[in-house]
Amino acid sequence: MTTTLRTAAELQARTRAGRRAVVMTMGALHEGHATLVRTARAIAGPDGEVVVTVFVNPLQFGQGEDLDRYPRTLDADVKIAEQSGADVVFAPAVDEVYPGGEPQVRISAGPMGERLEGGSRPGHFDGMLTVVAKLLHLTRPDVALFGQKDAQQLALIRRMVRDLNFGVEIVGVPTVREEDGLALSSRNRYLSPKERRTALALSQALFAGSDRHAAQEALRARAREVPATRARAEALSAIGESRAAADAHAVAKAVPGAAAAVRAAARLVLDEAARLDPPLELDYLALVDPSDFTEIADHEDEYIGEAVLAVAARVGTTRLIDNIPLTFGAAS
């Protein structure tokens, strides 16, 4: 039986035997949240405790955003949390989290929080980090879990925990998708059937970029295996093997990174979606270094390491985000 608590004092009075794992949400729980809770249950183990926080944080909503429209479904949330293995739902009121009103001292996300989502939603990440810091203090977990769908949020939380010496482990959980590929989000419920069809372009663009990346990495792997590719292509041409020669030339010309090709493949899908009815209105498409969310330049042919291909767009009145992780230059 899951217990619902409203105050930090009630939560802190609970006897703790094993590890406490926390999943922070703004409610309107869906299968993506349930996956986080199940993962938390596995990490905490049978002797540990899983706490799900439900708190719609006003500091994360800018002017004109959907604070009042944001769904509040606590009874349904408690049911999903219980079915997924939570021991406690911590659902504090605003004055429990922010006694005395909005805090005068807040966490600053810094330059990393001004990029991409931060550029589109000024102050959003300052509000997000402030409430995460508050909830970490109020819940006192050993481990906290966040979805990789909000990749920039996850990166900033990891940076805050490291830079400010929070004694908590941060675990990222892969994005959960619906059968058609759309990333699960509480905002999906706002989409009409026609808008949903257009919205599928977000995940389709990411998959196109991922496919282009995989093809480029395969060429790079072959280039490492056959270093004399150009000479091989010339020899094949001489004996009339035109298709094999063309393939060898492609291998020879494969460039490490190929950020431009990945972006181009994704953008082609998004450009087509912009002509649909209703159209997709692109906010950004970015290929970034996940450590600081700086752009990987198109001309950076020697980039090796992790990357995130991220997209944000609006369909009708609903703004959606999605991303996919990529690895450039895997070891041979």
Side-chain angles (χ1 to χ4, degrees):
M1 183 76 178
T2 298
T3 301
T4 301
L5 302 177
R6 297 287 189 170
T7 69
E10 292 174 313
L11 182 59
Q12 291 163 12
R14 289 176 63 88
T15 301
R16 296 176 58 173
R19 302 179 80 198
R20 175 177 284 173
V22 167
V23 174
M24 296 184 189
T25 83
M26 292 208 300
L29 269 57
H30 49 63
E31 179 58 27
H33 298 108
T35 298
L36 286 167
V37 178
R38 288 193 292 266
T39 305
R41 180 78 273 162
I43 290 173
D47 298 326
E49 182 178 61
V50 174
V51 176
V52 175
T53 70
V54 175
F55 180 68
V56 181
N57 178 32
L59 301 190
Q60 288 177 232
F61 291 81
Q63 186 174 4
E65 292 189 330
D66 52 0
L67 174 60
D68 294 333
R69 185 186 179 200
Y70 199 87
R72 274 79 166 176
T73 56
L74 183 59
D75 290 343
D77 294 342
V78 171
K79 185 175 181 179
I80 291 173
E82 183 172 25
Q83 292 171 343
S84 304
D87 299 296
V88 175
V89 169
F90 178 51
V94 172
D95 58 3
E96 175 72 14
V97 178
Y98 302 122
E102 291 192 2
Q104 298 299 303
V105 177
R106 308 187 186 194
I107 301 289
S108 170
M112 186 174 171
E114 297 170 359
R115 300 172 186 134
L116 299 188
E117 283 299 291
S120 299
R121 306 173 67 190
H124 166 73
F125 285 125
D126 292 354
M128 179 276 294
L129 289 178
T130 298
V131 79
V132 168
K134 292 277 288 186
L135 289 172
L136 287 175
H137 290 313
L138 293 174
T139 60
R140 302 178 184 176
D142 300 289
V143 57
L145 297 89
F146 298 89
Q148 291 179 0
K149 175 181 170 289
D150 297 294
Q152 192 171 3
Q153 169 181 284
L154 175 60
L156 279 161
I157 291 169
R158 282 177 165 152
R159 193 62 177 251
M160 177 184 73
V161 165
R162 182 172 67 249
D163 288 355
L164 301 183
N165 300 100
F166 280 72
V168 61
E169 177 187 358
I170 302 298
V171 173
V173 178
T175 300
V176 177
R177 299 185 179 277
E178 300 192 41
E179 289 186 6
D180 57 9
L182 189 66
L184 279 172
S185 169
S186 58
R187 292 192 168 113
N188 291 353
R189 69 183 67 192
Y190 301 146
L191 297 169
S192 70
K194 289 182 68 175
E195 288 172 341
R196 186 185 175 89
R197 286 194 290 273
T198 297
L200 293 178
L202 273 77
S203 57
Q204 291 167 351
L206 296 178
F207 297 151
S210 178
D211 288 346
R212 185 66 188 88
H213 166 264
Q216 189 70 21
E217 288 296 309
L219 286 175
R220 294 183 61 201
R222 290 186 61 191
R224 287 194 297 267
E225 294 170 4
V226 189
T229 333
R230 206 172 296 277
R232 177 172 176 265
E234 292 171 357
L236 287 165
S237 294
I239 62 173
E241 294 287 346
S242 57
R243 289 186 64 187
D247 180 66
H249 274 300
V251 172
K253 293 168 66 177
V255 293
V262 171
R263 283 192 182 92
R267 184 169 288 277
L268 182 63
V269 176
L270 297 170
D271 287 345
E272 291 176 354
R275 296 188 287 272
L276 295 176
D277 178 26
L280 181 141
E281 300 175 20
L282 183 65
D283 188 343
Y284 62 76
L285 171 69
L287 184 65
V288 298
D289 180 339
S291 68
D292 58 8
F293 267 67
T294 55
E295 288 271 3
I296 297 168
D298 282 346
H299 62 269
E300 181 139 18
D301 294 339
E302 297 300 326
Y303 182 79
I304 294 176
E306 301 301 313
V308 171
L309 181 62
V311 63
R314 190 175 297 276
V315 182
T317 59
T318 304
R319 187 176 183 277
L320 300 170
I321 63 171
D322 201 351
N323 71 85
I324 195 168
L326 302 173
T327 302
F328 285 86
S332 58

